[in-house]
């Protein structure tokens, strides 16, 4: 007669249910709700966890316990499923303890599963930026004293550094400089919240931008058609003319921008609107540069970009003449 070893006891299952603080509490995946309802026990050490009111409303009983790894493994004995809601972004003490037990080889471990109950949507980290900017504005001695006017130079500097990163083809630098430009937007919007007469927030800024993008892209969000970039530009200019009710195609062109860019922008506005305006003639290099900028714009060349490229080549030549190693 052959003897059979007794079947081993089922070891059960531990589910670490993570949720994103960037998603409204209670918005969990269907698999998360199924797991919560089917679990033998649901544990959460934090009695103020934002998900708890919604779990109670859904009929899920939550025990406010903070088990260590040994206790949690024991709670799964007999094939039970225990769901744990980690505190904050995760419970390192618990996960490290489970990892040590699993690595020891001395304990029959339950199945371990990390289940995301909710996922960040694209752009979710912008919510973190709102919170961080708000705290920095309130608590930093330098940041709390800044004004729109005092920050103007930084916006200009960051924009130029972004241009430099793009032209250099440095992807890592590009990502950083985009962040610095984004910081300026959030910084100004946070300051604007404090205006006693006309306050607005980053949500107002984003809302206006969304409305503008939809309004100025009728070929995407409406019934109009656009087959070429020129068609899109024509849509854009027509919509802007109606919105702004400008008297001249030159209205809205910032006169404080660099001279070559200003000349090209004016020439482009006149050409797009079919305004027959002769270039002014006069003595001096300024008129010569104006003619060069207008000609470049008509050929689809950005004169500022072209001049910077030539200037970088000139800089390299100067460094070579000085005997300085190339960068």
């Amino acid at each position: 007669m052959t003897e059979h070893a007794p079947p081993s006891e089922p070891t059960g299952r531990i589910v670490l249910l993570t949720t994103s603080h960037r998603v409204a509490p209670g918005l969990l995946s269907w698999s998360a709700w199924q797991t919560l309802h089917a679990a033998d026990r649901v544990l959460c050490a934090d009695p103020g966890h934002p998900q708890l009111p919604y779990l109670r409303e859904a009929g899920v009983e939550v025990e406010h316990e903070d088990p260590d790894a040994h206790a949690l493994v024991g709670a799964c004995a007999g094939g039970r499923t225990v769901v744990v809601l980690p505190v904050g972004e995760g419970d390192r003490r618990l996960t490290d303890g489970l990892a040590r037990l699993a690595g020891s080889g001395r304990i029959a471990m339950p199945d371990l599963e990390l289940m995301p109950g909710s996922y960040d949507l694209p752009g979710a980290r912008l919510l973190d930026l709102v919170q961080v900017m708000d705290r920095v504005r309130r608590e930093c001695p330098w940041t709390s004293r800044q004004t729109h006017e005092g920050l103007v130079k930084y916006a200009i500097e960051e924009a130029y550094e972004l241009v430099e990163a793009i032209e250099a083809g440095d992807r890592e630098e590009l990502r950083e400089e985009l962040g610095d430009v984004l910081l300026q937007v959030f910084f100004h919007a946070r300051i604007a919240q404090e205006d006693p007469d006309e306050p607005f927030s980053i949500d107002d800024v984003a809302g206006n931008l969304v409305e503008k993008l939809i309004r100025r892209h009728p070929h995407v969000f409406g019934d109009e058609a656009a087959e070429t970039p020129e068609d899109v530009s024509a849509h854009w200019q027509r919509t802007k003319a109606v919105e702004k009710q400008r008297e001249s195609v030159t209205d809205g062109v910032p006169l404080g921008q660099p001279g070559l860019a200003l000349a090209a922008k004016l020439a482009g506005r006149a050409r797009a609107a079919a305004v027959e305006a002769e270039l002014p003639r006069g003595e001096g290099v300024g008129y010569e540069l104006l003619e060069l900028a207008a000609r470049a714009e008509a050929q689809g060349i950005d004169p500022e970009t072209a001049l910077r490229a030539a200037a970088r080549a000139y800089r390299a030549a100067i460094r070579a003449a000085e005997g300085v190693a190339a960068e």
Side-chain angles (χ1 to χ4, degrees):
M1 181 174 180
T2 304
E3 293 186 4
H4 296 279
S8 59
E9 185 180 61
T11 54
R13 175 183 176 216
I14 297 173
V15 179
L16 301 180
L17 182 66
T18 62
T19 56
S20 172
H21 68 276
R22 306 176 191 95
V23 177
L27 296 179
L28 302 178
S29 65
W30 177 240
S31 60
W33 282 117
Q34 286 182 309
T35 301
L36 285 164
H37 282 292
D40 294 286
R41 297 177 67 186
V42 178
L43 308 180
C44 180
D46 180 10
H49 196 290
Q51 298 290 349
L52 295 185
Y54 302 93
L55 298 186
R56 286 194 294 267
E57 185 177 349
V60 177
E61 182 180 347
V62 181
E63 303 173 40
H64 299 308
E65 293 187 19
D66 186 15
D68 59 20
H70 280 281
L72 189 55
V73 170
C76 295
R80 290 187 291 271
T81 294
V82 179
V83 176
V84 179
L85 273 68
V87 177
E89 294 289 340
D91 190 337
R92 287 293 302 274
R93 178 188 61 82
L94 179 59
T95 55
D96 288 349
L98 290 172
R100 284 193 296 271
L101 286 179
S104 70
R106 297 192 299 270
I107 297 178
M109 292 293 292
D111 293 334
L112 301 177
E113 179 179 351
L114 180 64
M115 175 179 288
S118 57
Y119 300 84
D120 286 345
L121 297 173
R125 294 308 300 270
L126 294 176
L127 300 177
D128 293 344
L129 183 53
V130 171
Q131 294 178 346
V132 170
M133 188 71 247
D134 184 64
R135 181 172 179 180
V136 171
R137 175 65 174 175
R138 286 185 283 106
E139 300 180 16
C140 173
W142 183 86
T143 304
S144 62
R145 290 177 171 82
Q146 298 310 303
T147 63
H148 293 302
E149 293 77 13
L151 292 174
V152 166
K153 63 178 181 180
Y154 299 110
I156 296 173
E157 289 174 4
E158 299 298 355
Y160 276 123
E161 290 179 7
L162 173 61
V163 171
E164 184 175 353
I166 293 172
E167 293 180 344
D170 189 327
R171 300 288 295 178
E172 184 174 346
E173 192 71 14
L174 173 60
R175 182 171 61 182
E176 180 175 348
E177 296 305 336
L178 284 170
D180 290 342
V181 171
L182 184 62
L183 170 61
Q184 296 303 309
V185 175
F186 272 74
F187 204 159
H188 281 281
R190 179 59 182 81
I191 294 172
Q193 287 182 222
E194 303 167 8
D195 189 279
D197 301 318
E198 298 179 279
F200 61 83
S201 69
I202 191 66
D203 285 320
D204 298 311
V205 173
N208 288 349
L209 179 56
V210 168
E211 292 174 3
K212 180 188 290 185
L213 286 172
I214 293 174
R215 191 170 57 247
R216 294 188 179 178
H217 289 80
H219 54 290
V220 176
F221 301 100
D223 298 329
E224 294 195 35
E227 302 296 335
T228 66
E230 290 74 22
D231 293 339
V232 175
S233 179
H235 281 318
W236 187 275
Q237 295 301 332
R238 284 198 303 271
T239 306
K240 285 175 63 176
V242 173
E243 290 175 3
K244 304 294 185 180
Q245 296 183 345
R246 290 168 172 166
E247 297 180 350
S248 168
V249 295
T250 65
D251 291 346
V253 176
L255 300 179
Q257 62 184 300
L260 281 178
L262 172 60
K265 189 68 173 181
L266 292 171
R269 286 283 186 91
R271 182 174 57 81
V275 176
E276 299 293 339
E278 292 290 333
L279 290 174
R281 305 295 177 183
E283 297 295 328
V285 70
Y287 291 96
E288 296 176 16
L289 290 173
L290 173 62
E291 184 176 357
L292 283 173
R295 193 168 74 223
E297 194 283 329
Q299 296 173 359
I301 299 172
D302 177 13
E304 278 288 332
T305 301
L307 181 58
R308 279 196 301 272
R312 285 197 299 272
Y314 182 40
R315 177 175 181 266
I318 293 174
R319 293 171 66 87
E322 294 173 329
V324 180
E327 293 181 316

